[in-house]
Amino acid sequence: MGKRQNDLTGQRFGRLIVIQPTLERRNGYAVWRCRCECGNEILVSSRHLKNGWVINCGCIPKSRKGADLTGERFGRLLVLRKEQERGLDGQVCWRCQCDCGNQVITTTGQLRAGYKKSCGCLSRPPLKEWVGRQFGSLKVVSYTGKWNGKHYWRCRCECGKETVVSQSNLKNGHTKSCGHRATPQNSKHFVEGTCIENIRSRKIFANNTSGIRGVYKSKRSGKWQAQITFQGKTRYLGSYEKLEDAARARAAGEELFDEFLEKYDQDGWQRKESGSNDR
């Protein structure tokens, strides 16, 4: 018979290896006997282990903010050195060696909170190996970590600059450079935070099952939902039983585009010769 789902026996948390469960409980959580790398044994609740609050028997004082983590172990990760680049939230980044042999760069917060315990080899299913793959001007250098349910990768742009990009933005082609190719804000084709060519486009994305731009079916409610994105903001246009009702709501919402394009033409801005169909 396999291990129980909540059986922590044999798992590593920092410098601690879980030996066996005890009959004791603390605040409703099971207590486990753990052996530290220094040889000492302590009792720790499952909550403190899983949240990364206890990672050794006390032989290594808890790191202070800004302290050097070099040489410390977090799960399967051994901290090698501090990186010059900062994470998405400004946190210090560390290069770590995983027990499987891969290296990964992650932040202080991810390590201390216990969210980052491996290079991704423990993920179920395992993370896709994207290192070396090319996406536009970006080449994937290393896996950075997971924030808010998204995987992030460090990429090197053809201009030499490095940037961190979400896996989803790489897959759907939303991010193809570090930003050096971005259209300037004062460009005649990018006005008031809106790309003229985008709102004129009739392109339907491959994952759109409705065939109508801005209309999709909710997996939770089973209804058709309509929305529109304009000047960086997404507006919810309602949820409908019938596709045609959602389509009408989307068409009404596109009056925003009409007003904007009318102003765009009146002000005398020139259009880009893009070959796309105008309204």
Side-chain angles (χ1 to χ4, degrees), residues 3-14:
K3 289 184 178 180
R4 294 173 300 170
Q5 184 177 0
N6 296 322
D7 189 358
L8 304 183
T9 304
Q11 293 191 35
R12 176 184 285 274
F13 298 89

Side-chain angles (χ1 to χ4, degrees), residues 180-216:
H180 75 278
R181 287 187 170 180
T183 308
Q185 290 292 325
N186 61 354
S187 167
K188 60 187 178 182
H189 304 299
F190 199 96
V191 184
E192 299 180 24
T194 298
C195 178
I196 303 300
E197 288 72 30
N198 281 352
I199 65 174
R200 290 189 186 279
S201 173
R202 287 293 179 267
K203 179 180 179 181
I204 304 295
F205 292 108
N207 61 353
N208 185 316
T209 58
S210 70
I212 302 169
R213 194 175 184 187
V215 176
Y216 64 96

Side-chain angles (χ1 to χ4, degrees), residues 73-257:
R73 176 176 283 278
F74 299 86
R76 293 169 59 88
L77 297 177
L78 177 66
V79 182
L80 299 179
R81 65 175 182 271
K82 181 180 177 180
E83 292 288 300
Q84 292 184 350
E85 296 290 334
R86 294 267 177 165
L88 293 177
D89 52 1
Q91 289 194 54
V92 174
C93 288
W94 302 89
R95 181 173 294 275
C96 305
Q97 179 83 40
C98 184
D99 288 346
C100 72
N102 291 331
Q103 291 189 4
V104 65
I105 297 175
T106 188
T107 64
T108 302
Q110 292 281 306
L111 290 170
R112 287 180 174 167
Y115 298 143
K116 192 68 177 171
K117 299 177 183 177
S118 73
C119 66
C121 58
L122 293 181
S123 301
R124 295 188 177 87
L127 280 176
K128 297 178 179 178
E129 184 51 68
W130 281 20
V131 174
R133 291 183 62 179
Q134 192 81 27
F135 296 87
S137 299
L138 297 175
K139 185 175 182 179
V140 181
V141 177
S142 62
Y143 179 65
T144 301
K146 188 175 183 179
W147 291 273
N148 298 324
K150 292 185 178 181
H151 296 292
Y152 286 83
W153 298 86
R154 183 174 297 276
C155 303
R156 182 175 294 112
C157 187
E158 62 182 14
C159 71
K161 184 178 179 181
E162 291 192 355
T163 184
V164 176
V165 187
S166 71
Q167 182 168 305
S168 58
N169 281 351
L170 289 173
K171 288 178 65 177
N172 60 29
H174 181 75
T175 304
K176 297 181 180 180
S177 74
C178 66
H180 75 278
R181 287 187 170 180
T183 308
Q185 290 292 325
N186 61 354
S187 167
K188 60 187 178 182
H189 304 299
F190 199 96
V191 184
E192 299 180 24
T194 298
C195 178
I196 303 300
E197 288 72 30
N198 281 352
I199 65 174
R200 290 189 186 279
S201 173
R202 287 293 179 267
K203 179 180 179 181
I204 304 295
F205 292 108
N207 61 353
N208 185 316
T209 58
S210 70
I212 302 169
R213 194 175 184 187
V215 176
Y216 64 96
K217 194 167 189 178
S218 171
K219 293 182 179 180
R220 177 175 297 181
S221 66
K223 295 182 178 180
W224 294 101
Q225 297 187 345
Q227 64 182 31
I228 190 169
T229 300
F230 180 61
Q231 294 184 325
K233 295 182 179 180
T234 298
R235 296 168 170 82
Y236 177 66
L237 302 177
S239 180
Y240 305 89
E241 295 285 351
K242 297 181 179 180
L243 175 59
E244 52 267 30
D245 292 335
R248 279 194 288 268
R250 166 69 190 199
E254 289 184 359
E255 292 179 1
L256 290 169
F257 293 165

